[in-house]
Amino acid sequence: MATLKPMPVATKISAPFWQALKENQLKIQQCNSCDGWVFYPRNHCTHCFAHDLQWKQISGEGVLYSYTLTRIPTMPEFSDEMPQALAVVELAQGVRINTTLIDVAEQDITIGMAVKPVFDKVSIDGETLLRFTSTENVGGVRDYIDPLKDLTRNDQGQVQVPVSNLTALSALADNKFTDWSNQIVVDQALINAFAELSGDDYWLHTDPERAKKESPFKTTIAHGSLVQVLQSRLTIALPFEIIGFKTMVNYGSNRLRFPAPVPAGSTIYGRSKVQDISVSHKGVQLTLEVHIHVVGSDKPSVINDLVILYR
């Protein structure tokens, strides 16, 4: 399960820092030439400029160097954290880290107060952010809490997610496909009917004899648009139901591809996964990545990033 909030992107230089956080450790670099401590991650020492840095685990204890309280979220995804105590912590090693101060009442925040790290798990995959709190509080690991766990389910067993619950919505984007749908046979009669309806009667779709001789597929194939349209006849069992909206519209597709042909007579089925959740002035957009395959083929015949808009 994911988070809607933008996450740091690990680079080749910073990857050890983020990996250590996932393992509930705080590691920063120390120079082997002058023993100076370095943060943020770099290729060279900021004290003597030597390219001889080593990652070392530290306790993370330090003091609050500076902070500011934000009461208006810069993005809707941060509304659940207001007010935020954005802080700069000076570690015992002398380096400073930009972070967030948590579990401390506003009136208790003072410059110079002693703080310690909190390893905040923000996804089921173990993504971890470094926060700080007062040394009087419990630090250590803040476990990830599944925002879908306590939501109700409908008669079909789908978890019901209010469109206003952004945290729960973001947890739907877990990169896991649904089970396969029902199956549909795409025969020549169906292809011909679509050709008549659409006006696309290209021989590759409608002339089996010519296709047998001249087509690289040795048979007619279904129109890519036909296979896409058949998505509406595939019953893909989503594990969730979005509730609490006034309108829901098919907003279009961010991507539509036809990677593999569907030969006449093939049986197709489909599956999907939530690719992304985004929020804008238009409403909440859910991007559903739909794959349609010929049964037995690993390569999809259609990939459709379908965007659904809730208001």
Side-chain angles (χ1 to χ4, degrees):
M1 296 179 182
T3 174
L4 273 175
K5 299 171 184 177
M7 289 291 294
V9 178
T11 65
K12 182 178 180 180
I13 298 174
S14 68
F17 173 79
W18 298 111
Q19 181 59 39
L21 292 185
K22 292 182 72 171
E23 298 170 1
N24 306 326
Q25 299 175 358
L26 176 54
K27 290 184 178 181
I28 63 174
Q29 294 167 299
Q30 187 178 29
C31 179
N32 290 323
S33 296
C34 72
D35 294 330
W37 293 94
V38 176
F39 191 85
Y40 56 88
R42 293 173 170 88
N43 280 326
H44 66 275
C45 175
T46 53
H47 307 280
C48 70
F49 301 108
H51 287 69
D52 189 14
L53 301 178
Q54 182 178 355
W55 289 94
K56 293 188 178 180
Q57 183 176 351
I58 61 174
S59 69
E61 294 180 354
V63 297
L64 182 63
Y65 178 81
S66 179
Y67 76 99
T68 185
L69 293 173
T70 62
R71 304 186 186 279
I72 300 176
T74 54
M75 297 175 64
E77 291 83 359
F78 289 98
S79 59
D80 63 321
E81 294 190 29
M82 295 299 110
Q84 268 188 322
L86 304 179
V88 178
V89 167
E90 186 172 285
L91 299 177
Q93 289 73 23
V95 300
R96 296 169 186 163
I97 291 183
N98 293 327
T99 184
T100 308
L101 193 66
I102 60 174
D103 299 333
V104 182
E106 292 182 29
Q107 63 272 17
D108 296 331
I109 301 177
T110 57
I111 299 297
M113 65 183 289
V115 295
K116 59 185 177 182
V118 178
F119 301 98
D120 188 10
K121 306 296 179 181
V122 296
S123 79
I124 199 170
D125 297 323
E127 291 180 292
T128 307
L129 294 179
L130 177 63
R131 320 269 197 186
F132 282 83
T133 191
S134 167
T135 54
E136 298 178 0
N137 295 333
V138 176
V141 179
R142 175 185 280 190
D143 291 328
Y144 173 73
I145 300 175
D146 184 353
L148 302 176
K149 182 179 178 181
D150 296 325
L151 297 181
T152 58
R153 294 181 178 270
N154 60 22
D155 294 339
Q156 287 72 46
Q158 296 170 301
V159 61
Q160 295 181 304
V161 183
V163 73
S164 59
N165 190 336
L166 297 181
T167 302
L169 285 174
S170 69
L172 299 177
D174 59 4
N175 202 37
K176 294 180 180 179
F177 277 106
T178 63
D179 292 333
W180 291 104
S181 70
N182 59 307
Q183 300 181 1
I184 297 174
V185 177
V186 185
D187 56 21
Q188 190 62 52
L190 183 59
I191 295 172
N192 291 343
F194 184 81
E196 182 177 356
L197 177 65
S198 65
D200 182 359
D201 59 355
Y202 186 51
W203 65 267
L204 191 62
H205 306 300
T206 59
D207 191 337
E209 291 302 319
R210 183 176 177 182
K212 186 177 181 179
K213 297 175 182 178
E214 300 181 28
S215 168
F217 311 112
K218 303 304 178 184
T219 183
T220 52
I221 61 172
H223 309 70
S225 297
L226 167 59
V227 183
Q228 177 205 355
V229 168
L230 290 175
Q231 174 183 317
S232 61
R233 290 177 56 185
L234 299 176
T235 304
I236 299 176
L238 297 173
F240 61 88
E241 176 191 16
I242 308 298
I243 62 174
F245 55 86
K246 294 182 180 179
T247 60
M248 177 186 71
V249 295
N250 181 340
Y251 196 56
S253 296
N254 285 339
R255 177 181 61 155
L256 179 60
R257 298 288 185 271
F258 307 120
V262 176
S266 297
T267 300
I268 63 170
Y269 58 1
R271 58 181 181 172
S272 67
K273 64 179 178 180
V274 177
Q275 182 189 93
D276 183 55
I277 301 286
S278 62
V279 182
S280 70
H281 66 281
K282 298 177 183 178
V284 175
Q285 290 185 183
L286 183 150
T287 303
L288 195 65
E289 183 177 329
V290 182
H291 287 204
I292 300 176
H293 291 240
V294 171
V295 174
S297 174
D298 293 332
K299 190 174 185 178
S301 296
V302 172
I303 300 176
N304 183 13
D305 293 349
L306 179 66
V307 180
I308 305 169
L309 179 64
Y310 298 90
R311 296 176 179 174

